[in-house]
Amino acid sequence: MNATFAIAGATFGEAVRKRILMVILLVALLIILISPAFEPFAAGRGARTLIISFGFGVIQLAGTFIAIIMCTSMIPTEIERRTIYTILSKPVQRYQFVLGKFFGAVGTLGFMYLMMGIVFLIASRMALGGFDPQILRGLLMFFFQSSLLAAVVLFFSTFVSPLVNYFLSGGVFLMGNLLSSFLETIQRNPEVTPITRIPVQLLTVILPNFANFNVQNPIINPEQMLTDETAYLVQTIGYAIVYIALLLVASMLIFNQREM
Amino acid sequence: MSEIAIKTVNLTKRYSGLWSKQPVDAVKNLNLEVHRGEIFGFLGPNGAGKTTTIKVLLGIIYPTEGEAYVLGQPAGDPKNHYKISYLPENPYFYDYMTGREILTFYAKLFGIAEPERSKRVNELLDRVGLSRAADQPLRTYSKGMQQRIGLAQCLINDPQLLILDEPTAGLDPIAHIDIRDMILDLRNQGKTLFISSHQLSDVERVCDRVAILNRGVMVQLGRIEELLAGGHVEVIADKVPDNAVEPIRQLGGKVSLHDGRLIVEQPDNGTVDRVIDIVRAAGGHIISVKPYRRTLEDLFVETIQGGKNA
């Protein structure tokens, strides 16, 4: 595991020095910090709902961009710059390299979420005058959503070019956010034929369900209550971990056969 | 312990793209043996298959046909990687790290624990002359310093075999000499070095044996002195009468005479004294006697151009 953690550490060190990622983080921090200023626009929905949903929206968007931008070029850049040759010519197995890259990416996401979370908590406390535990739960869910997205991007990066990966990962993220509600809609509609419904059902099962992590809805719409919030949290995080593990195994198998 | 450090048996690496009609053999039926303790030069023009062969030896790519062994084990066996090291051409190291940090990183890949890790890192920094720059980020390093740190990362595991791809490319003369001396020093310590390079004068100076690859096929293999045998001595003389030419020509050299000025390219086989005697006996004056040694560059150009014309 020494090698895996060494690679993870190097990946983290490099990622947190990437200007583009830092710019995204700084912009997100700035927007979160000034979010209380939007309170007058809350109209009838309440300041709490506005500030929290706005903050979560910014955090989710930043997390998504960071995960995609960071992981798309992670392996291709190492090959292009030949750094990977100095690593794989050491007693490092290819699976250790993939795991190291992923753990480094997750570490970076953790750092970014920590920064955004701290600022979000400060901003919300300033605006709302109290600490809302929903924020921590939300941050945890979005962190796992971004980690799952990072695993998707890393998986694609083992066999497609960065440009194709942007579109593929972006597409999977979009579909993973929309498919479950789309499936619900067409299941309620008796006019939809099985020819339309079955492919959607199949895709909903195969593609990662990113919508489960979107916790804004219960916060924005407090009338939609979860019966057991902890169970939902555990179940969703468990789903993310299992899906990430499957993606990593697939990535390792593909990368093991890859010629560089 | 096997006396062979690297062995390839009918090694072939074929690339066939998804859309390309004709598969391309980057390396074709390569049979090679590199002995332990020697410096082996692996030469060839761009695209000859040198880097492909190295990648196969490191297990970064897989052979299409044939076999490759490194230190007696199948190529690419990660356990074997404890005993080998590789310096790629123009490598990039994480440039936010300092010299000390990058060596620590590579030491961790070998599982070298503290305090041994710090001890080895400090020793290597000293050995490659980077102790004073040890805590500077790599992005501030010159090309020569980058190459030294590259060589240092190669030595972190005290390897038996070093595979170096263009170790002196792009270096200034001083850095060039430093790296060359380090290579010779490593040989003196009993290491095996497998060097791919276009710097033919370096290869000629440091290597024991060389192989030349062209279009994936090995076209020359042998000891440097054997491959470069066959130089000549050029004798220039003045006021040489016409009747002296024929006896000189009979000695087997290439002779030309213009207005009494004689130029003889005599094979370096001990007949030069006879040429000089004949010139003097005929009343001529020797102007110069200059030995011409065949260089690796001559051999390389002859081999590659011969291959093109074939």
Side-chain angles (χ1 to χ4, degrees):
Chain A
M1 286 308 273
N2 259 348
T4 305
F5 288 125
I7 294 165
T11 305
F12 174 82
E14 198 166 48
V16 295
R17 283 171 179 83
K18 267 196 173 168
R19 277 192 198 140
I20 177 83
L21 300 186
M22 282 301 115
V23 167
I24 294 171
L25 178 68
L26 286 175
V27 170
L29 292 177
L30 201 70
I31 296 174
I32 295 165
L33 203 60
I34 61 164
S35 60
F38 294 103
E39 201 184 326
F41 302 103
R45 305 178 72 197
R48 179 184 176 277
T49 307
L50 180 96
I51 289 166
I52 290 180
S53 65
F54 187 77
F56 274 148
V58 171
I59 287 173
Q60 187 187 22
L61 200 64
T64 303
F65 276 120
I66 289 168
I68 292 180
I69 293 170
M70 174 174 56
C71 295
T72 306
S73 56
M74 217 170 235
I75 290 178
T77 309
E78 294 264 342
I79 296 171
E80 195 185 311
R81 298 189 304 201
R82 301 187 184 94
T83 318
I84 195 165
Y85 301 149
T86 62
I87 293 172
L88 294 184
S89 59
K90 308 279 187 275
V92 175
Q93 304 267 14
R94 291 189 181 204
Y95 79 85
Q96 291 177 300
F97 182 79
V98 173
L99 276 182
K101 285 281 149 194
F102 179 71
F103 288 148
V106 169
T108 311
L109 285 169
F111 169 75
M112 306 276 187
Y113 272 95
L114 187 70
M115 294 291 111
M116 292 191 286
I118 290 170
V119 173
F120 191 23
L121 283 171
I122 293 170
S124 61
R125 192 180 166 82
M126 272 162 40
L128 308 171
F131 168 75
D132 191 336
Q134 280 286 30
I135 291 179
L136 283 185
R137 285 194 204 110
L139 283 168
L140 195 66
M141 292 292 254
F142 285 127
F143 167 70
F144 274 96
Q145 186 185 52
S146 300
S147 299
L148 178 55
L149 179 60
V152 170
V153 184
L154 195 72
F155 166 71
F156 286 131
S157 80
T158 57
F159 61 95
V160 298
S161 68
L163 187 67
V164 177
N165 198 349
Y166 275 114
F167 290 106
L168 266 177
S169 305
V172 167
F173 184 70
L174 205 65
M175 286 173 81
N177 266 299
L178 300 175
L179 268 178
S180 54
S181 34
F182 181 57
L183 182 66
E184 269 176 44
T185 312
I186 62 170
Q187 273 174 337
R188 269 190 246 121
N189 187 345
E191 283 173 25
V192 175
T193 61
I195 297 170
T196 314
R197 198 184 62 242
I198 290 169
V200 176
Q201 272 176 323
L202 208 67
L203 276 176
T204 312
V205 172
I206 295 170
L207 294 179
N209 187 346
F210 287 105
N212 282 347
F213 301 88
N214 295 338
V215 290
Q216 295 108 313
N217 291 348
I219 295 168
I220 301 167
N221 309 304
E223 68 278 6
Q224 289 180 4
M225 292 300 288
L226 284 168
T227 48
D228 188 345
E229 214 168 293
T230 310
Y232 181 75
L233 196 81
V234 170
Q235 210 173 26
T236 311
I237 290 173
Y239 168 82
I241 292 169
V242 170
Y243 210 111
I244 286 170
L246 290 173
L247 281 169
L248 287 178
V249 169
S251 307
M252 289 179 220
L253 290 173
I254 294 170
F255 193 64
N256 211 33
Q257 294 306 311
R258 179 160 177 185
E259 301 210 320
M260 290 163 277
Chain B
M1 192 169 66
S2 164
E3 283 309 303
I4 305 295
I6 293 174
K7 183 175 181 177
T8 65
V9 183
N10 294 323
L11 182 71
T12 299
K13 180 64 195 174
R14 189 170 298 128
Y15 288 106
S16 42
L18 201 59
W19 310 109
S20 62
K21 292 172 193 160
Q22 199 75 34
V24 177
D25 285 341
V27 177
K28 201 172 175 183
N29 291 325
L30 180 67
N31 289 294
L32 191 68
E33 281 190 358
V34 177
H35 306 132
R36 281 185 190 257
E38 73 174 344
I39 305 186
F40 191 91
F42 198 49
L43 314 177
N46 294 330
K50 304 184 300 289
T51 304
T52 302
T53 306
I54 289 174
K55 284 182 182 177
V56 171
L57 295 175
L58 296 168
I60 290 168
I61 58 173
Y62 307 107
T64 312
E65 287 165 24
E67 288 149 26
Y69 299 92
V70 177
L71 300 174
Q73 301 296 318
D77 182 352
K79 283 180 213 142
N80 216 16
H81 288 187
Y82 282 101
K83 296 178 245 169
I84 66 173
S85 255
Y86 173 52
L87 176 66
E89 183 182 1
N90 296 323
Y92 168 88
F93 301 109
Y94 300 116
D95 66 1
Y96 70 89
M97 288 189 188
T98 64
R100 189 186 306 282
E101 283 168 349
I102 198 78
L103 293 186
T104 304
F105 167 71
Y106 283 108
K108 282 181 184 171
L109 297 185
F110 281 100
I112 301 167
E114 290 290 8
E116 176 64 20
R117 189 163 63 214
S118 294
K119 188 175 157 248
R120 241 187 248 193
V121 166
N122 287 332
E123 276 171 9
L124 279 174
L125 285 165
D126 194 38
R127 186 164 170 188
V128 299
L130 287 174
S131 290
R132 286 173 65 188
D135 297 310
Q136 283 176 25
L138 294 183
R139 63 174 168 270
T140 65
Y141 279 25
S142 66
K143 170 88 180 152
M145 290 162 87
Q146 296 260 1
Q147 204 68 357
R148 281 166 197 236
I149 208 78
L151 205 54
Q153 66 83 24
C154 266
L155 299 173
I156 197 83
N157 55 325
D158 190 21
Q160 295 173 19
L161 167 68
L162 288 98
I163 299 175
L164 310 178
D165 199 351
E166 295 292 348
T168 53
L171 299 180
D172 66 49
I174 303 295
H176 201 113
I177 292 166
D178 282 349
I179 298 285
R180 206 173 56 201
D181 290 347
M182 278 184 222
I183 288 170
L184 287 170
D185 190 39
L186 288 167
R187 196 250 308 266
N188 294 339
Q189 290 170 29
K191 313 277 185 205
T192 308
L193 288 106
F194 185 80
I195 302 174
S196 164
S197 179
H198 286 128
Q199 306 290 324
L200 298 178
S201 59
D202 284 343
V203 172
E204 191 178 330
R205 200 172 287 199
V206 303
C207 290
D208 302 303
R209 290 197 306 143
V210 293
I212 300 179
L213 236 64
N214 192 21
R215 297 182 206 160
V217 178
M218 190 163 68
V219 286
Q220 287 278 7
L221 172 72
R223 297 196 68 77
I224 294 255
E225 61 271 20
E226 287 165 8
L227 292 173
L228 301 185
H232 69 270
V233 177
E234 187 186 73
V235 180
I236 301 176
D238 207 4
K239 295 177 183 165
V240 181
D242 290 353
N243 61 5
V245 173
E246 198 46 42
I248 292 172
R249 191 167 278 140
Q250 280 172 9
L251 294 173
K254 201 171 136 192
V255 183
S256 64
L257 180 70
H258 294 290
D259 299 332
R261 190 179 185 89
L262 178 83
I263 300 174
V264 184
E265 278 182 24
Q266 192 65 21
D268 188 10
N269 57 5
T271 54
V272 177
D273 284 346
R274 295 281 315 279
V275 173
I276 295 168
D277 291 345
I278 294 168
V279 169
R280 283 183 174 156
H285 294 290
I286 298 293
I287 294 172
S288 69
V289 179
K290 203 170 171 184
Y292 280 95
R293 187 174 177 261
R294 201 172 176 222
T295 64
L296 191 56
E297 192 175 289
D298 297 332
L299 175 76
F300 185 84
V301 172
E302 280 165 26
T303 305
I304 302 304
Q305 285 191 338
K308 270 183 195 160
N309 298 335

